[in-house]
Amino acid sequence: MNLTNLLKVAITAIISNKTRTFLSTLGIIIGVAAVISMMAIGEGSKQSIRTELSKMGTNLLTVRPGGETRGGVRLDPSAMQTLKMEDYETIRDKATLVKAISPEVTSSGQAIHGANNTQTTIYGEMPEYMDIKLWELKDGIVFTEEDVKKSAKVCLVGSTVVEELFGDKDYDAVGKSIRFKSIPFRIVGILKSKGYNNWGMDQDNVIIAPYTTVMKRVNAQTFFSSINVSALSEEQSEAAIEEITALLRQNHKLKEGDDNDFSIRSQQEMMETMSSTMTTVQTVLVVAAAFSLLIAGIGIMNIMLVSVTERTKEIGLRMSVGARGRDILLQFLVESIMISLTGGLIGIFAGYGGATLARAVGFPATVPLWSVVVSFCVCALIGLLFGIIPARKAARMDPIEALRYE
């Protein structure tokens, strides 16, 4: 029996049992759709994270206090005071692979204007911070280095702060005064909106002021929360980390073998960490969805075994007119594979539909082509593997006994 005849027989058998065929393919449809949807959401999330982090600058390096251990316990970076003015000046003056640098001091609290108030975070920075973190101004100007030297009470505000304090995010707040922890600040610039990031954080709920002002007037401290550094290029980030590490170890008088009492993370490292985390989550979800394919395969095998039993006389008749065991084997294998592939094709379209729905409700979703190819091949493999037992049972039938079967 040639392949054309095998396909005709398989299609006839499938069409004659539409309901049974649909129910046996339902597991395949659900499994493939779930796998493709999960892959799409996972890939879309990874791309979205990379894009989001890239907006902060791909050559961004962040120096934080931390890394010190006492009695085997790693200390909370926020409780450490290892980054001082000397560290900032050393990196600024001696680091050759650094393009821009800004020490950072942060504080959370209420911003107040008239009867309105809002909970926000103030960041004490240098003017270079705008270039390091790729901030743009919607209106006004950036405070100057002279403002930093004088610890001037001036600030830049995000659109969320403007909306909460003045009732309209498009309100011209330049020149207006607000208070943060009872300290008055004059608004000199309004930041262009960045919206929410992938972690649900409102990037526009922010105030940026000279670091000296926040350090002395707001927090009354002598250490930095972190130091933001922009390397000359993304390719030179690792070399810049090594250079800064050597300078800070020398500043902190750390001996060879001593743990660093600071940590330096690059944006590329953060991208890789987040991508790795998303890959792990994605793998767990895909494996869970793939179990339905296994169950679907068992369902196909069960249906095919029932089909073999119901068509015993047909098998006996085919054998009596010259069909060999191999022909019967191929007939049922082709039928099993066609059922599986039909379910796979429908599942692929359903998976694309799921990805489209995910995008419609706000989830990033991108269907990778390889996931479609792999799903299709897996369906063919399931049809082959789970069709072997019924096909072998049919091929080994005694034609005389088959013809006598009632």
Side-chain angles (χ1 to χ4, degrees):
M1 187 180 291
N2 59 37
L3 182 59
T4 304
N5 288 333
L6 285 172
L7 290 173
K8 287 180 180 178
V9 172
I11 291 171
T12 302
I14 290 171
I15 291 175
S16 62
N17 294 283
K18 298 183 185 68
T19 303
R20 180 189 295 175
T21 301
F22 172 73
L23 292 175
S24 62
T25 58
L26 193 57
I28 295 287
I29 294 171
I30 294 172
V32 171
V35 168
I36 289 179
S37 297
M38 291 301 102
M39 291 297 298
I41 292 174
E43 286 298 315
S45 297
K46 285 193 283 187
Q47 290 182 17
S48 179
I49 287 169
R50 292 190 192 101
T51 302
E52 194 69 46
L53 291 176
S54 294
K55 289 180 182 178
M56 301 179 191
T58 56
N59 56 342
L60 171 66
L61 306 177
T62 305
V63 185
R64 296 186 184 278
E68 179 181 332
T69 58
R70 292 180 183 172
V73 179
R74 189 169 294 275
L75 301 181
D76 179 7
S78 62
M80 302 187 68
Q81 304 179 13
T82 56
L83 294 181
K84 304 282 188 174
M85 181 66 71
E86 181 187 1
D87 298 319
Y88 159 62
E89 292 173 344
T90 298
I91 298 172
R92 182 194 63 190
D93 299 335
K94 296 183 179 180
T96 60
L97 299 175
V98 169
K99 180 168 61 176
I101 180 172
S102 173
E104 182 171 279
V105 185
T106 63
S107 180
S108 295
Q110 278 196 337
I112 303 170
H113 174 75
N116 298 326
N117 65 81
T118 184
Q119 190 72 20
T120 186
T121 301
I122 190 168
Y123 291 81
E125 308 286 350
M126 283 288 287
E128 287 84 349
Y129 179 76
M130 300 291 288
D131 294 326
I132 296 173
K133 286 294 188 76
L134 304 182
W135 275 106
E136 294 180 21
L137 281 181
K138 175 184 176 183
D139 196 11
I141 59 172
V142 179
F143 55 82
T144 64
E145 290 195 19
E146 189 64 27
D147 292 324
V148 174
K149 291 178 182 177
K150 293 179 178 179
S151 302
K153 290 179 281 188
V154 295
C155 69
L156 312 172
V157 295
S159 58
T160 298
V161 176
V162 173
E163 183 175 14
E164 292 294 330
L165 296 184
F166 298 95
D168 184 359
K169 65 180 179 180
D170 294 322
Y171 182 83
D172 183 10
V174 175
K176 302 296 183 181
S177 292
I178 61 173
R179 284 179 292 138
F180 184 87
K181 288 187 176 181
S182 76
I183 307 298
F185 284 88
R186 180 170 56 87
I187 298 173
V188 295
I190 300 174
L191 300 165
K192 188 175 290 186
S193 177
K194 282 190 174 184
Y196 284 82
N197 61 20
N198 286 319
W199 302 278
M201 177 183 173
D202 185 0
Q203 299 177 92
D204 301 321
N205 187 20
V206 62
I207 300 174
I208 302 175
Y211 80 87
T212 50
T213 308
V214 179
M215 178 182 280
K216 297 174 182 178
R217 299 181 186 272
V218 178
N219 286 0
Q221 66 185 52
T222 59
F223 58 91
F224 298 127
S225 305
S226 62
I227 299 176
N228 296 304
V229 177
S230 180
L232 290 177
S233 67
E234 182 181 349
E235 293 73 22
Q236 293 177 294
S237 292
E238 288 302 318
I241 289 175
E242 293 178 7
E243 182 181 46
I244 294 170
T245 298
L247 290 171
L248 291 183
R249 285 185 64 85
Q250 184 178 359
N251 262 17
H252 297 182
K253 297 179 173 56
L254 297 175
K255 299 177 182 178
E256 187 175 349
D258 288 348
D259 290 334
N260 292 334
D261 56 0
F262 58 89
S263 62
I264 306 175
R265 295 198 67 182
S266 66
Q267 202 73 335
Q268 187 62 33
E269 182 184 353
M270 290 181 66
M271 287 182 186
E272 291 172 359
T273 300
M274 293 302 299
S275 292
S276 176
T277 302
M278 285 305 305
T279 298
T280 302
V281 173
Q282 181 183 27
T283 300
V284 171
L285 293 174
V286 169
V287 168
F291 271 109
S292 63
L293 290 176
L294 178 63
I295 296 170
I298 295 172
I300 288 176
M301 182 174 66
N302 184 46
I303 291 296
M304 292 303 299
L305 285 170
V306 172
S307 180
V308 168
T309 302
E310 288 182 348
R311 294 160 63 187
T312 299
K313 276 195 172 182
E314 176 192 328
I315 294 168
L317 183 61
R318 289 184 183 280
M319 286 183 169
S320 67
V321 295
R324 296 164 295 177
R326 184 179 65 184
D327 297 325
I328 302 299
L329 178 74
L330 287 174
Q331 174 188 334
F332 282 90
L333 274 181
V334 168
E335 193 172 320
S336 174
I337 292 172
M338 283 191 67
I339 291 174
S340 184
L341 288 180
T342 300
L345 285 172
I346 298 173
I348 288 170
F349 285 111
Y352 268 99
T356 302
L357 180 62
R359 285 194 294 270
V361 298
F363 285 99
T366 304
V367 179
L369 179 60
W370 64 266
S371 69
V372 176
V373 175
V374 169
S375 297
F376 192 79
C377 293
V378 167
C379 288
L381 186 61
I382 286 174
L384 178 63
L385 293 178
F386 288 93
I388 285 177
I389 293 177
R392 283 171 64 87
K393 179 182 177 181
R396 290 177 177 178
M397 282 187 179
D398 184 298
I400 298 174
E401 292 297 325
L403 287 170
R404 289 177 179 174
Y405 182 81
E406 294 294 337

